[in-house]
């Protein structure tokens, strides 16, 4: 069980649900909510992330990309604690469970009243499962052709955030594209750090990530763009939503991200990128939670209630 938990890479899971949290709370701000939708959206997203992690372990393991030259944490197949056959079985089981969760999510969202929407999201679910697997598995794996960034941005940014909100309200909201894009950019930033760390071993193994294709210098500039653009997009969203002063509490999540950029600027060795992955992932999760809470109430009201409770107790 310990090895399977490690193979699932638990540290990546908070990042994967960031869009679901934000999109769901944005729906709450429009007085629309359904716990069944949220529950199965979370299980579907977590299933996709775990499937992707299993598939990456399997694909990179059988191709020899994960070897002694790799800098990051050792993978399950690479270390031999899980065999390729066992990992392949786990991928099949996870795919089936994720698809079942997606179908249940679609049912609770649209039931028998929105057939076309159901079909569109069923296709999206199938594409998401296929994309999670094809990232590193197979001779035409798109992660080996520098297209991983596109998948991460679309599915963990737009589809996750905008998709869950659409399931509630049955319409698109143009302003939601701003924070959805921000979540997508920050998710890509985590992948970019991973690719910067593994540039040398990836190039040797024939894995043509964006960093291998365009170089580390591009990757560093690209990273600044991803993080800083995300911060700006969220601020624009807050302005358009006419946030009150106390609703800007989400700016607290900017602190670790800005500190990350300061550390990032000083990195000279590939191994030093590794600790930053978790920090950006957790900072993105914190940003999504704080921004989501800002959408449904003013923090000033909470502070007043807390102060009154303390005063009454005294």
């Amino acid at each position: 069980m310990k090895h399977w938990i490690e193979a699932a890479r638990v540290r990546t899971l908070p990042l994967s649900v960031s869009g679901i949290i934000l999109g769901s709370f944005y729906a709450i701000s429009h007085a629309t909510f359904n716990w069944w939708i949220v529950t199965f959206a979370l299980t579907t997203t977590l299933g996709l992330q775990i499937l992707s992690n299993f598939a990456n372990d399997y694909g990179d393991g059988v191709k020899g990309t994960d070897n002694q030259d790799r800098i990051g944490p050792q993978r399950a197949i690479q270390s031999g604690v899980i065999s390729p056959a066992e990992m392949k079985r786990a991928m099949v089981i996870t795919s089936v469970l994720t698809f079942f969760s997606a179908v249940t999510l679609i049912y609770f969202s649209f039931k028998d009243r929105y057939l076309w929407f159901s079909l569109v999201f069923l296709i999206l679910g199938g594409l998401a499962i296929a994309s999670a697997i094809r990232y590193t598995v197979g001779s035409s794996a798109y992660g080996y052709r520098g297209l991983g960034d596109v998948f991460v941005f679309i599915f963990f940014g737009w589809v996750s955030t905008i998709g869950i909100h659409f399931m509630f309200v049955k319409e698109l909201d143009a302003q939601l594209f701003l924070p959805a894009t921000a979540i997508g950019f920050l998710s890509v930033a985590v992948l970019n750090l991973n690719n910067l760390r593994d540039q040398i071993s990836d190039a040797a193994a024939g894995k043509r990530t964006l960093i291998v294709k365009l170089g580390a210098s591009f990757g560093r500039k690209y990273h600044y763009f991803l993080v800083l653009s995300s911060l700006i997009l969220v601020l624009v969203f807050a302005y358009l939503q006419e946030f009150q002063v106390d609703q800007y509490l989400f700016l607290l999540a900017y602190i670790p991200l800005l500190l990350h950029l300061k550390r990032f600027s000083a990195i000279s060795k590939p191994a030093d990128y590794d600790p930053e992955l978790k920090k950006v992932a957790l900072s993105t999760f914190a940003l999504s939670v704080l921004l989501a809470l800002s959408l449904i109430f003013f923090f000033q009201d909470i502070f007043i209630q807390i102060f009154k409770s303390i005063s009454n107790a005294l």
Side-chain angles (χ1 to χ4, degrees):
M1 182 59 67
K2 173 188 174 184
H3 298 312
W4 284 110
I5 292 174
E6 291 174 348
R9 283 187 266 171
V10 177
R11 71 176 183 173
T12 66
L13 301 185
L15 177 65
S16 68
V17 301
S18 296
I20 298 296
I21 293 171
L22 180 56
S24 297
F25 275 73
Y26 192 59
I28 294 176
S29 71
H30 293 86
T32 306
F33 194 70
N34 185 319
W35 275 110
W36 289 112
I37 295 177
V38 174
T39 299
F40 285 102
L42 289 172
T43 56
T44 301
T45 302
L46 290 172
L48 285 170
Q49 183 63 60
I50 293 171
L51 174 61
S52 178
N53 291 339
F54 284 168
N56 291 349
D57 201 306
Y58 176 83
D60 286 343
V62 298
K63 291 177 181 178
T65 306
D66 289 338
N67 51 49
Q68 67 277 6
D69 296 325
R70 186 174 180 274
I71 297 173
Q74 199 172 50
R75 301 276 185 83
I77 290 179
Q78 175 191 3
S79 62
V81 296
I82 295 175
S83 70
E86 289 173 325
M87 187 63 77
K88 198 170 185 179
R89 239 182 346 259
M91 288 165 55
V92 171
I93 294 171
T94 307
S95 297
V96 171
L97 292 175
T98 302
F99 184 74
F100 173 78
S101 177
V103 170
T104 308
L105 168 62
I106 292 169
Y107 169 75
F108 280 112
S109 299
F110 305 118
K111 297 187 178 178
D112 57 352
R113 291 174 293 174
Y114 302 93
L115 179 59
W116 286 110
F117 291 163
S118 297
L119 290 175
V120 169
F121 275 88
L122 189 62
I123 292 171
L124 277 175
L127 287 174
I129 291 172
S131 298
I133 296 172
R134 297 297 292 177
Y135 178 56
T136 59
V137 175
S139 57
S140 59
Y142 64 88
Y144 279 70
R145 294 182 289 159
L147 298 175
D149 300 55
V150 177
F151 163 79
V152 169
F153 174 76
I154 291 176
F155 284 98
F156 291 99
W158 283 2
V159 173
S160 178
T161 310
I162 297 169
I164 183 64
H165 179 260
F166 186 89
M167 287 179 158
F168 282 114
V169 303
K170 314 302 184 289
E171 62 183 24
L172 293 174
D173 188 304
Q175 290 189 13
L176 187 57
F177 276 88
L178 293 169
T181 299
I183 296 296
F185 278 172
L186 289 171
S187 299
V188 174
V190 175
L191 176 63
N192 188 55
L193 287 169
N194 182 85
N195 292 339
L196 282 167
R197 180 197 66 192
D198 295 341
Q199 180 185 9
I200 296 174
S201 59
D202 283 346
K207 187 175 183 180
R208 304 279 295 169
T209 64
L210 209 58
I211 303 305
V212 172
K213 284 184 173 184
L214 301 177
S217 177
F218 162 81
R220 292 181 64 83
K221 295 173 185 175
Y222 178 46
H223 193 74
Y224 283 115
F225 165 77
L226 291 170
V227 176
L228 292 175
S229 295
S230 300
L231 304 185
I232 293 170
L233 286 170
V234 174
L235 280 174
V236 173
F237 173 73
Y239 173 78
L240 293 176
Q241 289 287 306
E242 299 181 346
F243 274 20
Q244 300 301 311
V245 173
D246 52 328
Q247 288 179 282
Y248 281 86
L249 191 64
F250 68 84
L251 290 175
L252 288 174
Y254 280 37
I255 298 173
L257 286 169
L258 292 173
L259 289 174
H260 155 71
L261 288 180
K262 181 180 179 181
R263 290 187 297 266
F264 178 81
S265 66
I267 290 177
S268 59
K269 298 183 295 183
D272 292 338
Y273 289 116
D274 191 62
E276 299 304 311
L277 272 77
K278 184 177 180 180
K279 295 172 185 175
V280 175
L282 291 178
S283 297
T284 304
F285 178 71
L287 175 61
S288 69
V289 171
L290 289 174
L291 182 58
L293 292 174
S294 296
L295 289 167
I296 60 172
F297 52 66
F298 295 164
F299 289 97
Q300 179 183 351
D301 296 336
I302 295 179
F303 295 146
I304 291 173
Q305 291 300 320
I306 292 174
F307 179 77
K308 285 182 177 179
S309 298
I310 295 174
S311 298
N312 291 336
L314 295 174

